[in-house]
Amino acid sequence: MNNEITINGDRFTIYLTEDQIKARVKELAARINEDYKDKVPIFIGILNGSFIFFADLVREISIDCEVDFLKLSSYGDAKISSGQVRLLKDLNCQVTGRDIIVVEDIVDSGLSIDFMKRLVMKEHPRSFRVASLLLKKSVAKIEFPIDYVGFEIPPEFVIGYGLDYAQKVRNLRAIYRLAPKD
Ligand code: IMP
Ligand code: MG
């Protein structure tokens, strides 16, 4: 695995290795398996960023479950949030009366997850929880907890394992962070 990569002239260094991520995903799944052992939750993945975390997480789930996806857009092609969330693809499942676990790659400003929660709550689920691989706690402005957090990270730009830089590098197996310019 490369410890350093350069994209569009920006240097990124390794932050979370494939093994670290794998171990943590297993721990989160174990907690979910326990918490939902008598239930049949619907995992809702937020596209595109969560697709790899989502696939790895649900393959560690041993209880009955269903999956669905929703597509939001907020970043465009930039490294900084545009501050606007748009719904690009709605849900196909019936949320009413169901136990919902939303799966996110990262909670940054919290705008996307806040938007998502409002959307889901309108349909009156039985319960609502969030699993996010990464949480930038110091910047997230949300009035509800992120129930399953993989890693709390500082407010830095990270890529890989689903997270993009101008739509690229989502396929990297590890997570990298933007290195300071020297
Ligand atoms: P939020 O609405 O600001 O919480 O950010 C939500 C979305 O922006 C995430 O689901 C990601 O897709 C994207 N995002 C936030 N921070 C990063 C980052 O550091 N790298 C890549 N994408 C990010
Ligand atoms: Mg996302």
Side-chain angles (χ1 to χ4, degrees), residues 49 74-75 81 104-112 136 156-159 163-164:
S74 73
Y75 267 47
S81 173
E104 255 289 31
D105 50 355
I106 184 165
V107 174
D108 182 9
S109 69
L111 273 175
S112 307
K136 292 183 193 169
E156 293 175 27
F157 187 69
V158 289
I159 56 163
L163 293 144
D164 73 303

Side-chain angles (χ1 to χ4, degrees), residues 29-69:
R31 276 175 52 203
I32 294 172
N33 284 330
E34 181 60 26
D35 293 351
Y36 289 82
K37 61 175 179 267
D38 304 317
K39 305 192 170 93
V40 182
I42 309 178
F43 288 91
I44 298 179
I46 306 192
L47 297 171
N48 295 335
S50 77
F51 79 116
I52 292 182
F53 173 48
F54 189 97
D56 284 350
L57 183 73
V58 297
R59 281 180 295 174
E60 298 293 337
I61 294 297
S62 50
I63 53 166
D64 274 354
C65 65
E66 297 174 26
V67 306
D68 198 7
F69 297 93

Side-chain angles (χ1 to χ4, degrees), residues 116-128:
M116 167 76 192
K117 184 170 185 185
R118 285 169 205 274
L119 196 86
V120 171
M121 293 314 280
K122 274 192 231 160
E123 307 296 323
H124 306 288
R126 183 161 74 166
S127 69
F128 177 93

